[in-house]
Amino acid sequence: MSSKEIEEKKVEFLLNKLTLSEKFKLLTGYFFFQTHRILRLGIRTFKVTDGPLGISQHSSFLRKNTYFPAGINLAATWNKNLAFECGKAIGKEARAIGRSCVLGPGLNIGRTPFNGRTFEYYSEDPHLTKEIAIPFVKGVQSQKIAACPKHYVANNQETNRYLVSTEIDERTLHEVYLRAFKETVEEADPWTIMTSYNLVNSEYVHESKKLLKDTLIDKWGFSGFVMTDWWSTSEGGSKKKESSNTPPEKAIKSGLSLEMPKPYIYERSRLKTAYRQGKFTEKELDEIVKRILLVYTKVGMFEKRKNLPKGERNTKKHQNLARRMSEEGIVLLKNSNNILPLSLENTKSIAVLGPNLRRKFGKLLNGGAAAVTPPYEITPLKGLEEKCNGKVKITKDISKADYVLLFMGLNHDSPTKFMSEKIIEEEIEFGNESEKADRNKLGLSESQIVQINETVKINPKTIVVLINGSPVSMEDWLENVPAVLEAWYPGMEGGRAIANVLFGDVNPSGKLPMTFPKKIEDCPSHKSESTFPGVDHKVYYEEGIYVGYKHYEKENIEPLFPFGFGLSYTDFKFEEVQTTKNKLNAMYEILEIKVKITNVGNKAGSEVIQVYSEDVKSSVDRPKRELISFKKVFLEPNETKTIPIEIKGKDLAFYDVSSKDWKLEKGDFILHIGNSSIDFHLEEKITVTN
Ligand code: BGC
């Protein structure tokens, strides 16, 4: 018997044994992060944990675990292998603390830099998002731990998150916001999915037959189970609880399996009454229960522990991985006259300052559910102290130092009721990124801008290192400084990674997963209050499919830094593109192109070959260029490599509203090949002949 048949048999067996009230019991959470047990059948509690950046303290009985860099940092690596390794390591840590499901990855699209949870998510671009999500999910599940892509769907802001309805047209919903979920379901088979807080076109997702049963389950073939976001059916535990008015039969028929963490819709008496009144059948109930049981078997609930993958936590291996992720995700934004890298031999002293120099980010609930508390955290100061160790003096004297390093950026606290209003105001002025609140300005705080401009007047060799999880504007200081590094929230080993990049032990290779705009008005979602953050509980996605770089290109707006951009300490030459076949004839066909690239500088380094497609003639309006493939490649100085890159038919398709499906039209496509969304070096024409 195949393992699939064994799993199905087990599920059938359990389903036949369960009583109606036991089935009801399985539909809701029992405590914050676990479900009910039915011991007579060997059904143990299914324990879940946040989240995408590592195992959170709040969902692991206050334990400390490896704190990996933020989601946006992982996306900035453009490295699918690292995404797999990260997922696998998080899966192993989950196993080591007896959890069966990791609540991540976060797949929401960066519609606005103001979203307080941008740091958790990957990108403004659905292609990059899915390419990172797929290996991450595979990595987690390689340990027989369920992944839980979230928050399904169009959850792109925190303001009014329990009540706001995303008003969106069908093509945009599918092409931009559902796309990464669809591809992840089809290619990585995640065992669970979490619905979002917000409504979509005035319907809660947890009760939406259209979004769950019809799309996710029937159309895409999702085999796992759907759970709600925490307290979404009670609007965060509020008294109003409009969201819990959903009749249980509606949620059952829509395919919602698990309500977390407490029952409102699936409250036992409501279920009993609806069943007695014939509003749903046991067969319909079995459909959602079966899914839960199937996942329980997949995570090994009924197997002997010794037969399951062995977990491990807080190992050197995981800590090194956290450092490598940070190193590869750091983006060098500016480097005039190659002021970087610094040299340990030729530098006498560096002055180090700034509000993020000693700040630790890995604290309990810091920034919300994605917070991880590590056993230690290397701050930028600590990383530099280790690196300079007796060779370079570290000082605060900006006038005498050879270089000044300013550690700026945003903060990451969760405003809590214990904070005074003054502190909350200061946090907001500093620029806070966290769950439950959105940012309200794009720039750094006034005090940081003053500090940068005053410092650079005294010492022109002032380098800014940004620590934040979403785009910031820099118009009022960028011109004045010679170098800027974007280090994101870099995880527990961040200080070492930053020092390694500053001193050239690591050549930066990160590329922006989000456009950095000059000002917020340039951003497509910030046309009016109704487009962000919404009025009367509705937010209108008027920009449609033109999200991120697609908008800047269409409107001819110059960004501060474009999507896909990032400098290196070396230079790469894109030599030529070769194809043996340049015709594709089906959605699921793959064509291979080969890109010849040389490292023409004198340092080893990695470049990301990015391929954007232009649909020459289309029956619908399409973005000028869309990312459809990429590959990261490492080259020694003077080394040339010819890199095969896959072009998939389905990545050239658009969502066709009349057939309600993806469509690949006949005709020519120009492939623009380069190293950002605006820097192209090669071109190739391919033809779809279907
Ligand atoms: C967040 C989820 C998280 C859940 C459990 C919610 O507030 O939106 O992302 O997984 O809490 O902590």
Side-chain angles (χ1 to χ4, degrees):
M1 240 194 296
S2 71
S3 59
K4 192 162 179 262
E5 283 164 346
I6 297 173
E7 281 165 11
E8 280 165 5
K9 259 193 125 82
K10 179 76 189 175
V11 170
E12 271 321 305
F13 171 81
L14 290 169
L15 205 61
N16 288 333
K17 297 269 175 213
L18 284 166
T19 65
L20 190 66
S21 82
E22 284 171 335
K23 288 178 187 171
F24 291 162
K25 215 171 164 187
L26 290 177
L27 301 185
T28 69
Y30 158 67
F31 196 55
F32 279 95
F33 294 99
Q34 59 194 82
T35 60
H36 290 277
R37 306 180 290 188
I38 301 176
L39 284 180
R40 71 174 189 97
L41 293 172
I43 298 178
R44 297 201 297 267
T45 175
F46 178 74
K47 291 190 190 142
V48 306
T49 174
D50 281 309
L53 279 53
I55 308 302
S56 329
Q57 195 174 24
H58 63 263
S59 52
S60 67
F61 295 121
L62 295 182
R63 273 174 282 193
K64 297 184 173 176
N65 305 298
T66 306
Y67 170 31
F68 293 96
I72 194 163
N73 178 111
L74 177 57
T77 68
W78 295 59
N79 184 333
K80 301 173 208 176
N81 296 334
L82 268 186
F84 178 83
E85 277 188 64
C86 175
K88 185 170 164 189
I90 292 178
K92 279 185 186 288
E93 300 229 345
R95 220 146 282 264
I97 52 156
R99 304 269 139 178
S100 298
C101 173
V102 170
L103 304 173
L107 300 192
N108 299 105
I109 294 294
R111 175 177 182 253
T112 160
F114 279 6
N115 182 359
R117 298 183 81 169
T118 305
F119 69 93
E120 283 184 56
Y121 302 143
Y122 292 149
S123 172
E124 67 190 24
D125 182 74
H127 184 85
L128 179 57
T129 301
K130 67 144 166 140
E131 291 295 316
I132 298 296
I134 290 166
F136 182 94
V137 168
K138 286 184 177 168
V140 172
Q141 296 192 166
S142 69
Q143 301 309 302
K144 284 176 101 58
I145 295 290
C148 182
K150 63 187 186 184
H151 309 86
Y152 184 83
V153 59
N155 182 182
N156 307 101
Q157 65 183 60
E158 290 298 290
T159 310
N160 195 20
R161 67 178 185 176
Y162 299 111
L163 291 173
V164 74
S165 171
T166 295
E167 299 294 310
I168 185 168
D169 67 85
E170 197 182 341
R171 178 172 172 204
T172 303
L173 180 62
H174 281 267
E175 214 165 294
V176 181
Y177 299 96
L178 283 171
R179 183 151 195 189
F181 285 102
K182 172 179 184 281
E183 300 278 336
T184 306
V185 165
E186 288 179 353
E187 295 201 22
D189 184 25
W191 297 337
T192 69
I193 259 187
M194 188 192 292
T195 54
S196 56
Y197 285 126
N198 57 288
L199 299 84
V200 174
N201 294 329
S202 303
E203 187 179 34
Y204 281 103
V205 181
H206 50 248
E207 61 173 32
S208 170
K209 179 166 175 295
K210 198 167 161 191
L211 285 167
L212 299 180
K213 178 90 175 73
D214 299 350
T215 305
L216 173 70
I217 296 174
D218 289 346
K219 197 144 199 176
W220 305 346
F222 174 62
S223 69
F225 73 78
V226 178
M227 69 176 92
T228 63
D229 197 349
W230 269 232
W231 313 102
S232 64
T233 51
S234 65
E235 287 148 35
S238 90
K239 298 252 160 20
K240 283 196 264 138
K241 295 186 220 158
E242 228 177 82
S243 51
S244 62
N245 290 341
T246 304
E249 63 275 14
K250 187 163 190 226
I252 291 172
K253 290 177 199 215
S254 295
L256 173 70
S257 289
L258 181 65
E259 185 180 18
M260 287 302 282
K262 258 185 70 177
Y264 291 89
I265 297 176
Y266 288 161
E267 215 263 295
R268 216 74 60 86
S269 60
R270 289 182 78 186
L271 282 166
K272 276 190 192 154
T273 313
Y275 181 72
R276 233 183 288 120
Q277 293 171 347
K279 296 204 167 136
F280 65 90
T281 62
E282 188 156 2
K283 195 158 170 273
E284 285 166 329
L285 177 67
D286 285 353
E287 282 306 308
I288 57 169
V289 173
K290 245 192 220 168
R291 291 176 170 271
I292 296 178
L293 297 173
L294 182 65
V295 174
Y296 286 3
T297 59
K298 283 185 190 290
V299 298
M301 189 183 277
F302 309 108
E303 282 173 50
K304 291 207 174 76
R305 272 189 201 160
K306 68 173 180 18
N307 295 339
L308 295 172
K310 234 171 93 56
E312 57 184 50
R313 227 160 43 93
N314 292 325
T315 56
K316 215 51 262 110
K317 195 170 162 204
H318 289 180
Q319 290 153 4
N320 284 341
L321 172 62
R323 197 199 60 252
R324 277 195 290 134
M325 286 168 62
S326 168
E327 288 169 349
E328 275 210 38
I330 290 175
V331 185
L332 178 61
L333 292 173
K334 182 173 180 186
N335 193 18
S336 301
N337 300 322
N338 294 329
I339 185 169
L340 288 174
L342 307 178
S343 145
L344 274 182
E345 288 71 41
N346 304 331
T347 308
K348 285 202 192 67
S349 66
I350 52 171
V352 295
L353 300 100
N356 281 339
L357 175 67
R358 316 160 180 269
R359 199 187 286 270
K360 290 189 177 170
F361 294 96
K363 291 184 283 189
L364 183 68
L365 287 172
N366 203 36
V372 181
T373 311
Y376 66 86
E377 182 172 343
I378 308 294
T379 62
L381 178 61
K382 180 95 175 71
L384 286 168
E385 282 170 349
E386 279 182 16
K387 174 72 62 191
C388 295
N389 189 18
K391 296 183 202 117
V392 175
K393 190 170 160 218
I394 296 184
T395 142
K396 291 229 165 299
D397 186 347
I398 53 180
S399 62
K400 298 216 185 76
D402 294 332
Y403 300 94
V404 183
L405 302 176
L406 292 181
F407 290 86
M408 304 311 211
L410 303 174
N411 194 13
H412 197 31
D413 282 339
S414 300
T416 67
K417 46 183 168 222
F418 307 112
M419 282 180 178
S420 69
E421 254 171 52
K422 189 165 169 287
I423 294 186
I424 292 178
E425 260 170 44
E426 278 168 18
E427 289 292 339
I428 289 171
E429 149 62 14
F430 191 85
N432 200 36
E433 292 184 277
S434 102
E435 208 178 317
K436 291 199 185 153
D438 290 315
R439 287 168 60 198
N440 60 11
K441 69 170 191 263
L442 195 59
L444 298 180
S445 66
E446 273 314 306
S447 59
Q448 292 187 61
I449 295 171
V450 169
Q451 190 177 6
I452 296 173
N453 288 332
E454 290 302 315
T455 307
V456 79
K457 271 190 221 152
I458 299 167
N459 190 331
K461 291 187 178 166
T462 293
I463 293 150
V464 174
V465 180
L466 292 169
I467 298 188
N468 49 289
S470 54
V472 291
S473 62
M474 307 175 200
E475 286 282 88
D476 22 25
W477 54 268
L478 182 64
E479 276 291 293
N480 308 336
V481 300
V484 183
L485 271 188
E486 174 55 77
W488 315 112
Y489 293 119
M492 65 187 291
E493 281 275 325
R496 290 192 178 122
I498 292 169
N500 283 344
V501 170
L502 285 169
F503 282 89
D505 304 278
V506 168
N507 189 349
S509 62
K511 304 279 175 185
L512 294 179
M514 295 269 290
T515 306
F516 275 42
K518 288 185 177 163
K519 48 186 194 308
I520 196 65
E521 300 76 51
D522 291 346
C523 186
S525 47
H526 288 261
K527 271 199 257 155
S528 69
E529 228 187 300
S530 70
T531 61
F532 180 85
V535 280
D536 296 333
H537 302 321
K538 284 189 193 301
V539 55
Y540 296 87
Y541 283 29
E542 280 174 16
E543 70 284 359
I545 56 171
Y546 293 95
V547 175
Y549 62 92
K550 296 166 189 167
H551 159 83
Y552 292 85
E553 182 147 44
K554 176 170 177 253
E555 301 297 331
N556 226 344
I557 298 171
E558 196 188 5
L560 184 65
F561 294 108
F563 173 83
F565 174 80
L567 300 169
S568 163
Y569 295 151
T570 190
D571 289 308
F572 298 94
K573 183 158 182 253
F574 285 70
E575 313 259 9
E576 61 169 334
V577 49
Q578 306 156 356
T579 46
T580 37
K581 168 181 156 232
N582 61 1
K583 288 195 173 28
L584 257 176
N585 64 21
M587 188 85 105
Y588 288 94
E589 199 174 311
I590 296 173
L591 177 154
E592 191 179 89
I593 61 168
K594 290 202 170 95
V595 175
K596 192 168 160 195
I597 181 168
T598 303
N599 179 352
V600 290
N602 54 16
K603 284 196 171 56
S606 296
E607 179 59 299
V608 179
I609 303 173
Q610 303 172 34
V611 183
Y612 295 79
S613 75
E614 177 187 346
D615 191 348
V616 176
K617 194 161 167 275
S618 165
S619 64
V620 294
D621 196 19
R622 296 198 76 175
K624 171 99 172 106
R625 277 181 269 254
E626 295 177 73
L627 181 72
I628 55 150
S629 200
F630 62 87
K631 199 168 247 177
K632 192 162 196 173
V633 41
F634 176 82
L635 294 161
E636 296 290 347
N638 296 319
E639 191 184 8
T640 299
K641 277 186 184 161
T642 300
I643 306 295
I645 296 181
E646 286 187 342
I647 307 295
K648 295 182 181 158
K650 66 176 178 171
D651 288 327
L652 299 167
F654 63 86
Y655 186 82
D656 175 38
V657 279
S658 57
S659 62
K660 298 204 173 304
D661 211 347
W662 287 81
K663 186 169 180 181
L664 178 61
E665 274 183 348
K666 271 197 230 165
D668 292 340
F669 287 79
I670 315 277
L671 304 183
H672 300 271
I673 301 157
N675 52 357
S676 91
S677 56
I678 63 169
D679 295 301
F680 301 110
H681 307 293
L682 300 169
E683 220 176 86
E684 179 70 26
K685 194 174 87 181
I686 59 167
T687 307
V688 173
T689 56
N690 64 349

